[in-house]
Amino acid sequence: RKEVEQDPGPFNVPEGATVAFNCTYSNSASQSFFWYRQDCRKEPKLLMSVYSSGNEDGRFTAQLNRASQYISLLIRDSKLSDSATYLCVVNPAVSGYALNFGKGTSLLVTP
Amino acid sequence: DAGVTQSPTHLIKTRGQQVTLRCSPKSGHDTVSWYQQALGQGPQFIFQYYEEEERQRGNFPDRFSGHQFPNYSSELNVNALLLGDSALYLCASSFVGSRFNEQFFGPGTRLTVL
């Protein structure tokens, strides 16, 4: 079983739609969780850290369910500029410092 | 505030050659991690350097080695290049005191091995 699993998509949604991405992780001792965004042929950029109580940043909401080892990202009122690959990232406590990345979920927002 | 910088941006090498990639961390950061990203995959952790020592290593052969300098900048060296080493090499910097270990990436070096 892969350490971090995501639905690869692609998700094609119209502007203004709400879209949700899900991710599961295998190491129950994992400590830190993130969503990164990666545009084509560019570096990953930190979108949000995911806190135990869940957190919101504008149109973006991240949730963590430790019991189910599940992380989600909700994007409301999608913009064309949201088109990118969204990477679910986990920092396993056992490993300490490495970030474990999912393969990413591709989002295309259309006019 | 300068972000993470990497050089060169692109590199073409042939099998068997050696390559050195460079990274300067974000201002205020003291830790550098290196990742390899193959096409269509998420980044894979190579190793992390802190206080000029390799602190943790991923599942990569000894052909991959690194160094960190007193100014926190870092190099990644790959010997005896294979075709499979073609990838985007990403450097990420962080601060050891960061509660959640947030890492910030540079633009990467795209390595092509022919």
Side-chain angles (χ1 to χ4, degrees), chain A residues 3-4 27 29-33 89-100, chain B residues 56 101:
Chain A
E3 294 194 45
V4 181
N27 186 343
S30 295
Q31 292 293 308
S32 306
F33 310 89
V89 183
V90 175
N91 178 204
V94 172
S95 300
Y97 311 112
L99 294 182
N100 287 345
Chain B
Q56 186 182 358
N101 187 28

Side-chain angles (χ1 to χ4, degrees), chain A residues 32 34 36 38 41 43-44 46 49 51 91 95-99 101-103, chain B residues 35 37 40-43 45 48 55-56 90 100-103 105-107 110:
Chain A
S32 306
F34 311 94
Y36 279 74
Q38 187 170 28
R41 300 181 74 80
E43 75 273 23
L46 179 63
S49 300
Y51 305 131
N91 178 204
S95 300
Y97 311 112
L99 294 182
F101 284 77
K103 289 177 70 170
Chain B
Y35 292 81
Q37 187 174 24
Q41 304 293 318
F45 176 76
Q48 185 181 86
R55 187 155 76 158
Q56 186 182 358
L90 294 159
F100 295 108
N101 187 28
E102 291 98 341
Q103 296 183 17
F105 285 83
R110 193 164 296 278

Side-chain angles (χ1 to χ4, degrees), chain A residues 49-78:
Chain A
S49 300
V50 185
Y51 305 131
S52 294
S53 55
N55 46 302
E56 187 174 308
D57 183 2
R59 298 182 293 109
F60 299 84
T61 300
Q63 295 283 345
L64 169 64
N65 184 324
R66 284 188 183 272
S68 303
Q69 295 176 215
Y70 170 95
I71 308 160
S72 65
L73 176 68
L74 185 77
I75 305 175
R76 290 181 299 278
D77 188 22
S78 299

